[in-house]
Amino acid sequence: MMCIHGGAGFGKTLAVNTCLRALEPGEDVRKITFRARPTARAVRYELFTALDLAGEPPRQEHALHLIATTPPTMSDSAALPSGLLSLPTVYINPNGPVVTRTVGSDSTGGEGFFFRQHVFALDVHGLVVETQLDRVRDRFRPTAEDLVPFFASPEHAPETRMRGLARAFEAFWEGDVDTALAMALPRLEGMLRRRLQAADIAVITHAKGETIGQVQQLGSLLDKLDELGFPAPWPLVLRTVLGNTEGQMNLRNNVLHDLVDTPSRHRAALALQIALAVLLLGEEPPARTGSADSGTRMPLPWNAAADQRLRFPVPDPRAHHFVTQYADMHDVVAGLTVPSGIPQSAATVLHTSRELLRHSYFCYEFSTVALLHALIAMEIVLRAKIPDSGTKPLHALLKQGKESGLLTERQTEFLHEGRKLRNRIAHGQRAHSVMPPRWGAGMLTTSFTLISEVWAAQPTPPATTDTYESTGI
């Protein structure tokens, strides 16, 4: 395999076609045409189709099912190591003896020690799951709407509730840990209740005499996990992450009762994996039957019909090379202030330009469109400052602005370069250039400053010679 790359107009397509025609007549040549900016998923599907490969390409359902059914490694807490001592954690007198005790003599009979060991093991495992989920995002770019049908396939997973779980995954991939956990943890508890009910395990305490009935709390549900038949170590994992005994993670209470600051992202990944495990353990894995063109095939990205139904914007994978989450884009555009006093139409266009750059997190090419919009605002300001501008083209306005002293040499040169770029794109001579967000922010800052300078500038009046009115001399 080889790759030919370079700028437009260098004859790449011609060179490839010439080489293909020169091959032996018996060679099996198959061509694939990709849309602009194909993702790994698009390449995978097209290769499976073009090469007539057996089976079907990997799907996000298979990846998520594998994550759900791969448990962490947990140590066996059946027996305590002999002679293991516990040190006080509050205060140690450096000048005197240090009081120690055996681990098994504390109030939890040693369970607190093992819970802390389990929490450490789960934190390490959470880092692995975080990487796995990010790879699912980068390979398949799933949206909430893509995930809902898969999440709602088990009987204990109603679609109305699974929309919230799908949104939790989307928030996680967007870098919003608080939203991801706030959406995932209640759905996790709800799925656990429904699975217990489906196994005829009581989740409600009925009224007896003067005692009123009540819904059993999460702690009671965790005590019944062994009855549910989950394979080891999943019952221990759920108790360690969701339980509130000394040494346990207590993630559910800490998050939903706002007892801690935003948890680390790997703990959110761990909560999402546990939600997948409760959802999918005991369920059949996704079917692998059908060809790549069958109805089970996931829609390709950039499909117009599919894009129209997206409820939430999908982050552009290239944006993650420069920012980690959408919130970082606010810092990128923070310095772009619309100049005061300029015509309202120009101010509106500049505001649009700034928001296009902000949202280039979701569509990378928006950074170029933002710069082109700034040029529109510049033209509006020039027409307002230059008398008799009428319908003159931009190059004529720039020439007149320079001759009148409204524009400096530097300003005129910058605007001419912008005009040429706009024309090449508008006339199909060049595809949208791609610039990193911070480069776009720098060029837009220059454009905003230039508009402010031009609006404040005054044309140099033409030179005149004093004459006598009567003689004209």
Side-chain angles (χ1 to χ4, degrees):
M1 178 182 292
M2 66 179 182
C3 175
I4 300 178
H5 62 90
F10 284 92
K12 300 187 299 297
T13 303
L14 175 63
V16 170
N17 288 333
T18 301
C19 292
L20 290 177
R21 284 194 295 268
L23 291 175
E24 293 293 333
E27 292 286 346
D28 184 11
V29 177
R30 307 188 186 193
K31 292 185 179 181
I32 302 175
T33 301
F34 294 106
R35 301 186 182 209
R37 198 176 59 169
T39 63
R41 183 175 69 172
V43 173
R44 184 181 300 112
Y45 276 106
E46 293 301 331
L47 286 176
F48 262 77
T49 302
L51 301 178
D52 296 327
L53 299 181
E56 65 177 2
R59 292 162 46 191
Q60 63 193 20
E61 291 91 340
H62 302 143
L64 292 173
H65 190 275
L66 182 61
I67 292 174
T69 54
T70 304
T73 301
M74 306 289 283
S75 60
D76 183 9
S77 59
L80 290 169
S82 60
L84 192 63
L85 300 179
S86 173
L87 295 176
T89 58
V90 178
Y91 176 71
I92 295 179
N93 181 6
N95 300 316
V98 177
V99 179
T100 62
R101 63 182 182 185
T102 60
V103 170
S105 66
D106 63 13
S107 60
T108 65
E111 284 190 353
F113 166 79
F114 279 106
F115 279 139
R116 287 189 289 273
Q117 296 297 103
H118 295 329
V119 167
F120 176 78
L122 287 173
D123 275 330
V124 174
H125 178 74
L127 293 170
V128 177
V129 176
E130 179 185 8
T131 302
Q132 291 174 331
L133 289 177
D134 284 341
R135 292 198 64 172
V136 170
R137 174 202 63 200
D138 295 339
R139 286 189 176 187
F140 302 104
R141 299 189 69 204
T143 66
E145 291 299 314
D146 292 333
L147 296 175
V148 168
F150 174 55
F151 288 170
S153 55
E155 293 183 2
H156 53 267
E159 181 178 340
T160 53
R161 309 311 302 150
M162 292 303 98
R163 289 189 177 278
L165 181 61
R167 175 60 187 134
F169 276 82
E170 200 166 47
F172 172 81
W173 285 320
E174 292 171 359
D176 190 349
V177 172
D178 284 321
T179 299
L181 287 171
M183 299 291 287
L185 290 172
R187 273 72 185 178
L188 167 58
E189 185 173 347
M191 287 188 295
L192 186 57
R193 290 183 188 279
R194 286 188 290 273
R195 295 213 69 167
L196 288 168
Q197 282 181 312
D200 293 327
I201 301 173
V203 296
I204 297 177
T205 302
H206 295 283
K208 292 182 180 180
E210 296 182 357
T211 304
I212 63 174
Q214 62 179 357
V215 176
Q216 295 182 10
Q217 300 301 309
L218 180 60
S220 300
L221 303 182
L222 295 176
D223 292 336
K224 300 179 179 181
L225 286 174
D226 293 326
E227 302 177 48
L228 193 56
F230 277 4
W234 286 111
L236 177 59
V237 171
L238 267 76
R239 293 189 187 103
T240 304
V241 173
L242 303 178
N244 59 0
T245 304
E246 178 185 351
Q248 292 179 327
M249 197 176 292
N250 197 21
L251 186 62
R252 181 257 195 191
N253 289 335
N254 286 340
V255 170
L256 298 186
H257 296 297
D258 201 22
L259 301 179
V260 296
D261 200 358
T262 301
S264 56
R265 191 168 182 262
H266 71 268
R267 287 199 169 184
L270 185 62
L272 292 176
Q273 187 204 20
I274 294 174
L276 285 176
V278 173
L279 175 67
L280 299 174
L281 283 176
E283 298 292 320
E284 290 294 328
R288 290 183 176 272
T289 57
S291 65
D293 292 321
S294 67
T296 60
R297 179 178 175 181
M298 293 296 296
L300 289 176
W302 315 118
N303 179 283
D307 290 345
Q308 289 173 3
R309 63 177 174 80
L310 298 182
R311 293 185 58 196
F312 303 101
V314 181
D316 192 306
R318 292 171 295 178
H320 293 286
H321 295 299
F322 303 96
V323 293
T324 58
Q325 56 185 340
Y326 175 65
D328 296 338
M329 295 301 297
H330 305 320
D331 298 330
V332 174
V333 303
L336 298 176
T337 304
V338 177
S340 59
I342 64 174
Q344 182 61 42
S345 55
T348 301
V349 173
L350 285 182
H351 174 77
T352 302
S353 177
R354 181 181 63 196
E355 294 310 304
L356 281 168
L357 181 62
R358 190 198 307 270
H359 286 83
S360 64
Y361 178 80
F362 301 106
C363 183
Y364 212 54
E365 281 74 11
F366 277 2
S367 58
T368 302
V369 182
L371 183 60
L372 298 181
H373 259 62
L375 287 173
I376 295 174
M378 184 74 249
E379 187 168 349
I380 293 173
V381 169
L382 284 175
R383 293 191 184 280
K385 294 289 290 185
I386 296 176
D388 303 324
S389 57
T391 58
K392 293 178 181 178
L394 181 57
H395 71 86
L397 292 178
L398 296 178
K399 180 180 179 182
Q400 188 174 346
K402 181 182 178 181
E403 291 175 348
S404 66
L406 182 67
L407 298 175
T408 65
E409 186 74 29
R410 176 188 63 85
Q411 293 170 340
T412 305
E413 181 180 354
F414 178 85
L415 292 174
H416 268 304
E417 289 302 318
R419 178 186 65 83
K420 294 175 183 177
L421 174 62
R422 182 198 67 176
N423 289 345
R424 286 194 294 269
I425 294 177
H427 298 301
Q429 298 172 350
R430 180 172 182 176
H432 275 80
S433 301
V434 178
M435 63 181 74
R438 296 194 183 278
W439 290 11
M443 298 183 73
L444 278 183
T445 300
T446 301
S447 300
F448 276 51
T449 302
L450 189 57
I451 289 173
S452 181
E453 292 173 352
V454 172
W455 183 251
Q458 296 297 329
T460 303
T464 59
T465 305
D466 293 335
T467 61
Y468 289 102
E469 225 174 86
S470 58
T471 64
I473 299 176

